[in-house]
Amino acid sequence: MSGLVGSWLFLVPLAAAVSYGVMALLLSRMRELALDLPNHRSLHEAPVPRTGGWALLAGCALALMLSPAVLPISAFTGFGLLLAVSALDDLRHVSARVRLPVHLLAVALVVVGLPQPLAWWWYPLLLVAGVWTINLYNFMDGMDGLAGSMTAMGFATLGLICAWRGHGDLAGVCALLVVTALVFLRHNWPPANIFLGDAGSTTIGLAAVAVSLFGWQRGAFGPLVPVVVFAPFWLDATVTLLRRMAAGKRWWEAHREHFYQRSVLRIGVKRTLYRQLGFMLSASVLALALMLFGLG
């Protein structure tokens, strides 16, 4: 156990340093590589690079290659396919007819890699929930500080629980995501200089799925805990989607009807972000309380 802890104590700052270096490069010499141009849905008025996720993933990927954590080959393949199509979408538009099948396949490969078989009805449920989680991060990347804060807060909570329950490798993976998310937030805090982009947002969404499922199957926490932890994300998007469908609107199109978007237009980005941080902290405290009282 001491060797495992020691390796992560080296790998976590390494991931942060690599992410910081790649981020500096992206914001200087490669600033024009992939720009998010403002449209009717955007909350920003000037073009912003959408390559921040590349820096985050670079730090995590290098650290994971050197880490004692073992990723099933199917899950590794799923992450690779998702990253490839999402990075391409950052550089040039990829239609939803191409992206959605890749999202489905990526989640399926993660689920197939789980160490224990599940009852048949879990598989369609996890497939839909996984694809929805991937797209949640993509939806929420448009507001300064929001996706990065959820990443840091959500994985910090899951990582703390994993460490508490003796799952050091899962806790280490969470720590990598937390520190690289904090590096990203340094440049994504309002006013944002960079966004995650599709490569970063979708891959982090899949990471949330993978950590949640593997943590659940290995007994670190129950299935309710990650649902509670990431509630500030999925509640907003799910309720908004259902409202648009009930109203007969073209629910698949970009819009400004998320609660956080309406809040930004009413009280501003920073006040909305602080409010969201309050929701995230409350969700984390609730998840820890569930664990403490044996309900998670």
Side-chain angles (χ1 to χ4, degrees), residues 65-112:
M65 285 191 293
L66 300 174
S67 78
V70 178
L71 188 69
I73 187 64
S74 62
F76 180 83
T77 304
F79 274 96
L81 290 172
L82 180 63
L83 177 59
V85 75
S86 299
L88 181 60
D89 195 40
D90 282 331
L91 297 172
R92 53 180 299 177
H93 178 68
V94 177
S95 72
R97 285 184 293 181
V98 175
R99 286 183 283 118
L100 182 58
V102 175
H103 293 180
L104 288 165
L105 180 58
V107 175
L109 288 169
V110 168
V111 173
V112 166

Coordinates of all heavy atoms in Angstrom, one line a residue, residues 65-112:
M65 N -0.3 6.2 -17.7 CA 0.6 5.3 -18.4 C 1.7 4.9 -17.4 O 2.2 3.7 -17.5 CB 1.2 5.9 -19.6 CG 0.2 6.0 -20.8 SD 1.0 6.4 -22.3 CE 1.5 8.1 -22.0
L66 N 2.0 5.7 -16.5 CA 3.1 5.4 -15.5 C 2.5 4.9 -14.2 O 3.3 4.5 -13.3 CB 3.9 6.7 -15.2 CG 4.6 7.3 -16.4 CD1 5.2 8.7 -16.0 CD2 5.6 6.4 -17.0
S67 N 1.2 4.8 -14.0 CA 0.6 4.5 -12.8 C 0.4 3.0 -12.6 O 0.5 2.2 -13.6 CB -0.8 5.2 -12.7 OG -1.7 4.5 -13.4
P68 N 0.1 2.5 -11.4 CA -0.2 1.1 -11.2 C -1.6 0.7 -11.5 O -2.0 -0.4 -11.5 CB 0.0 0.9 -9.7 CG -0.2 2.3 -9.1 CD 0.2 3.3 -10.1
A69 N -2.5 1.7 -11.9 CA -3.9 1.4 -12.3 C -3.9 0.6 -13.6 O -3.1 0.9 -14.5 CB -4.6 2.7 -12.4
V70 N -4.8 -0.3 -13.6 CA -5.0 -1.2 -14.8 C -6.4 -0.9 -15.4 O -7.4 -1.1 -14.7 CB -4.8 -2.7 -14.5 CG1 -5.1 -3.5 -15.7 CG2 -3.4 -2.9 -13.9
L71 N -6.4 -0.5 -16.7 CA -7.7 -0.2 -17.4 C -8.0 -1.4 -18.3 O -7.1 -1.8 -19.1 CB -7.6 1.1 -18.2 CG -8.8 1.6 -18.8 CD1 -9.8 2.1 -17.7 CD2 -8.5 2.8 -19.7
P72 N -9.2 -2.0 -18.2 CA -9.5 -3.1 -19.1 C -9.3 -2.6 -20.6 O -9.6 -1.5 -20.9 CB -11.0 -3.4 -18.8 CG -11.1 -2.9 -17.4 CD -10.2 -1.7 -17.3
I73 N -8.9 -3.6 -21.4 CA -8.6 -3.2 -22.8 C -9.9 -2.7 -23.5 O -9.8 -1.8 -24.3 CB -8.1 -4.4 -23.6 CG1 -7.6 -4.0 -25.0 CG2 -9.1 -5.5 -23.6 CD1 -6.5 -3.0 -25.0
S74 N -11.1 -3.2 -23.1 CA -12.3 -2.7 -23.8 C -12.6 -1.3 -23.4 O -12.9 -0.4 -24.2 CB -13.5 -3.6 -23.4 OG -13.7 -3.5 -22.0
A75 N -12.4 -0.9 -22.1 CA -12.6 0.4 -21.6 C -11.6 1.4 -22.3 O -11.9 2.5 -22.7 CB -12.5 0.5 -20.1
F76 N -10.3 0.9 -22.4 CA -9.3 1.7 -23.0 C -9.6 2.0 -24.4 O -9.5 3.2 -24.9 CB -7.9 1.0 -22.9 CG -6.8 1.7 -23.6 CD1 -6.1 2.7 -22.9 CD2 -6.4 1.4 -24.9 CE1 -5.0 3.4 -23.5 CE2 -5.4 2.1 -25.5 CZ -4.7 3.1 -24.8
T77 N -10.2 1.0 -25.1 CA -10.6 1.2 -26.5 C -11.7 2.2 -26.6 O -11.8 3.1 -27.5 CB -11.0 -0.1 -27.1 OG1 -9.9 -1.1 -27.0 CG2 -11.4 0.0 -28.6
G78 N -12.7 2.1 -25.7 CA -13.8 3.0 -25.7 C -13.4 4.5 -25.5 O -13.9 5.4 -26.2
F79 N -12.5 4.7 -24.6 CA -11.9 6.1 -24.4 C -11.2 6.6 -25.6 O -11.3 7.7 -26.0 CB -11.0 6.1 -23.2 CG -11.7 6.3 -21.9 CD1 -12.0 5.3 -21.1 CD2 -12.0 7.6 -21.4 CE1 -12.7 5.4 -19.8 CE2 -12.7 7.8 -20.2 CZ -13.0 6.7 -19.4
G80 N -10.4 5.7 -26.3 CA -9.7 6.1 -27.5 C -10.6 6.5 -28.6 O -10.4 7.5 -29.3
L81 N -11.7 5.7 -28.8 CA -12.6 6.0 -29.9 C -13.3 7.3 -29.6 O -13.5 8.1 -30.5 CB -13.7 4.9 -30.0 CG -13.1 3.5 -30.6 CD1 -14.2 2.4 -30.5 CD2 -12.7 3.7 -32.0
L82 N -13.8 7.5 -28.4 CA -14.5 8.7 -28.0 C -13.6 9.9 -28.2 O -14.0 11.0 -28.7 CB -15.0 8.6 -26.6 CG -15.8 9.9 -26.1 CD1 -17.0 10.1 -26.9 CD2 -16.1 9.7 -24.6
L83 N -12.3 9.8 -27.7 CA -11.4 10.9 -27.9 C -11.1 11.3 -29.3 O -11.1 12.4 -29.7 CB -10.1 10.6 -27.2 CG -9.0 11.6 -27.3 CD1 -9.4 12.9 -26.7 CD2 -7.7 11.1 -26.5
A84 N -11.0 10.3 -30.2 CA -10.7 10.5 -31.6 C -11.8 11.3 -32.3 O -11.5 12.3 -32.9 CB -10.5 9.1 -32.3
V85 N -13.1 10.8 -32.1 CA -14.1 11.5 -32.8 C -14.4 12.9 -32.2 O -14.7 13.9 -32.9 CB -15.4 10.7 -32.8 CG1 -16.1 10.7 -31.4 CG2 -16.4 11.2 -33.8
S86 N -14.2 13.0 -30.9 CA -14.4 14.3 -30.2 C -13.3 15.4 -30.6 O -13.6 16.5 -30.8 CB -14.4 14.1 -28.7 OG -15.5 13.3 -28.3
A87 N -12.1 14.9 -30.7 CA -11.0 15.8 -31.1 C -11.2 16.3 -32.5 O -11.0 17.4 -32.9 CB -9.6 15.1 -30.9
L88 N -11.7 15.4 -33.4 CA -12.0 15.7 -34.8 C -13.1 16.8 -34.8 O -13.1 17.7 -35.6 CB -12.3 14.5 -35.6 CG -12.7 14.7 -37.0 CD1 -11.5 15.3 -37.8 CD2 -13.1 13.4 -37.7
D89 N -14.1 16.6 -33.9 CA -15.2 17.5 -33.9 C -14.7 18.9 -33.4 O -15.3 19.9 -33.8 CB -16.3 17.0 -32.9 CG -17.6 17.7 -33.1 OD1 -18.0 18.0 -34.3 OD2 -18.3 18.0 -32.1
D90 N -13.7 19.0 -32.6 CA -13.1 20.3 -32.2 C -12.5 21.0 -33.3 O -12.6 22.2 -33.4 CB -12.1 20.1 -31.1 CG -12.7 19.8 -29.7 OD1 -13.8 20.3 -29.4 OD2 -12.0 19.1 -28.9
L91 N -11.9 20.2 -34.2 CA -11.2 20.8 -35.4 C -12.1 21.1 -36.6 O -11.9 22.1 -37.2 CB -10.0 19.9 -35.8 CG -9.0 19.6 -34.7 CD1 -8.0 18.6 -35.2 CD2 -8.2 21.0 -34.5
R92 N -13.0 20.2 -36.8 CA -14.0 20.4 -37.8 C -15.3 19.6 -37.5 O -15.2 18.6 -36.8 CB -13.5 19.9 -39.2 CG -13.0 18.5 -39.2 CD -12.5 18.0 -40.5 NE -13.5 18.1 -41.5 CZ -13.3 17.8 -42.8 NH1 -12.1 17.5 -43.3 NH2 -14.3 17.9 -43.7
H93 N -16.4 20.2 -37.8 CA -17.7 19.6 -37.4 C -17.9 18.2 -37.8 O -17.7 17.8 -38.9 CB -18.9 20.5 -37.9 CG -20.2 20.0 -37.5 ND1 -20.6 20.0 -36.2 CD2 -21.2 19.4 -38.2 CE1 -21.9 19.4 -36.1 NE2 -22.2 19.1 -37.4
V94 N -18.3 17.4 -36.8 CA -18.7 16.0 -37.1 C -20.2 15.8 -36.8 O -20.6 16.2 -35.7 CB -17.9 15.0 -36.2 CG1 -18.3 13.6 -36.4 CG2 -16.4 15.1 -36.5
S95 N -21.0 15.3 -37.7 CA -22.4 15.2 -37.5 C -22.8 14.3 -36.3 O -22.1 13.4 -36.0 CB -23.1 14.8 -38.8 OG -22.9 13.4 -39.0
A96 N -24.0 14.6 -35.8 CA -24.5 13.8 -34.7 C -24.7 12.3 -35.1 O -24.6 11.4 -34.3 CB -25.8 14.4 -34.2
R97 N -25.0 12.1 -36.4 CA -25.2 10.7 -36.9 C -23.9 9.9 -36.7 O -23.9 8.7 -36.7 CB -25.6 10.8 -38.3 CG -27.1 11.2 -38.5 CD -27.6 11.1 -39.9 NE -26.9 12.1 -40.7 CZ -27.1 12.2 -42.0 NH1 -28.0 11.4 -42.6 NH2 -26.5 13.1 -42.7
V98 N -22.7 10.6 -36.7 CA -21.5 9.9 -36.5 C -21.1 9.8 -35.0 O -20.7 8.8 -34.5 CB -20.3 10.6 -37.3 CG1 -19.0 10.0 -37.0 CG2 -20.6 10.6 -38.8
R99 N -21.3 11.0 -34.3 CA -20.9 11.0 -32.9 C -21.7 10.1 -32.0 O -21.2 9.5 -31.1 CB -21.0 12.5 -32.4 CG -20.0 13.4 -33.0 CD -20.1 14.8 -32.4 NE -21.1 15.6 -33.0 CZ -22.2 16.1 -32.4 NH1 -22.3 15.9 -31.1 NH2 -23.1 16.8 -33.1
L100 N -23.0 10.1 -32.2 CA -23.9 9.3 -31.3 C -23.5 7.8 -31.3 O -23.4 7.2 -30.2 CB -25.4 9.5 -31.7 CG -26.4 8.7 -30.8 CD1 -26.2 9.1 -29.3 CD2 -27.8 9.0 -31.2
P101 N -23.3 7.1 -32.5 CA -22.9 5.7 -32.4 C -21.6 5.5 -31.7 O -21.4 4.5 -31.0 CB -22.8 5.4 -33.9 CG -23.7 6.3 -34.6 CD -23.6 7.6 -33.8
V102 N -20.7 6.5 -31.8 CA -19.4 6.3 -31.1 C -19.6 6.5 -29.6 O -19.0 5.8 -28.8 CB -18.4 7.4 -31.6 CG1 -17.1 7.4 -30.8 CG2 -18.1 7.1 -33.1
H103 N -20.5 7.4 -29.2 CA -20.8 7.6 -27.8 C -21.4 6.3 -27.2 O -21.0 5.8 -26.1 CB -21.8 8.7 -27.6 CG -21.3 10.1 -27.9 ND1 -22.0 11.2 -27.8 CD2 -20.0 10.5 -28.3 CE1 -21.3 12.3 -28.1 NE2 -20.1 11.8 -28.4
L104 N -22.3 5.7 -28.0 CA -22.9 4.4 -27.5 C -21.9 3.3 -27.4 O -21.9 2.5 -26.4 CB -24.0 4.0 -28.5 CG -25.3 4.8 -28.5 CD1 -26.1 4.6 -29.8 CD2 -26.1 4.5 -27.3
L105 N -21.0 3.2 -28.4 CA -20.0 2.2 -28.4 C -19.0 2.4 -27.3 O -18.6 1.4 -26.6 CB -19.3 2.2 -29.8 CG -18.1 1.1 -29.9 CD1 -18.7 -0.3 -29.7 CD2 -17.5 1.3 -31.3
A106 N -18.6 3.6 -27.0 CA -17.7 3.9 -25.9 C -18.2 3.5 -24.6 O -17.5 2.9 -23.8 CB -17.3 5.4 -25.9
V107 N -19.5 3.8 -24.3 CA -20.1 3.4 -23.1 C -20.2 1.9 -23.0 O -19.9 1.3 -21.9 CB -21.5 4.1 -22.9 CG1 -22.2 3.6 -21.6 CG2 -21.3 5.6 -22.8
A108 N -20.6 1.3 -24.1 CA -20.8 -0.2 -24.1 C -19.5 -0.8 -23.8 O -19.4 -1.8 -23.0 CB -21.3 -0.6 -25.5
L109 N -18.4 -0.3 -24.3 CA -17.0 -0.9 -24.1 C -16.6 -0.8 -22.6 O -16.0 -1.7 -22.1 CB -16.0 -0.3 -25.0 CG -16.1 -0.7 -26.5 CD1 -15.3 0.1 -27.4 CD2 -15.8 -2.2 -26.7
V110 N -17.0 0.3 -22.0 CA -16.7 0.5 -20.6 C -17.5 -0.5 -19.7 O -17.0 -1.1 -18.8 CB -17.0 2.0 -20.1 CG1 -17.0 2.1 -18.6 CG2 -15.9 2.9 -20.7
V111 N -18.8 -0.6 -20.1 CA -19.7 -1.5 -19.3 C -19.2 -3.0 -19.5 O -19.2 -3.7 -18.5 CB -21.1 -1.3 -19.8 CG1 -22.0 -2.4 -19.1 CG2 -21.6 0.1 -19.4
V112 N -18.8 -3.3 -20.7 CA -18.3 -4.7 -21.0 C -17.1 -5.0 -20.1 O -16.9 -6.2 -19.7 CB -18.0 -4.9 -22.5 CG1 -17.2 -6.1 -22.7 CG2 -19.3 -4.9 -23.2

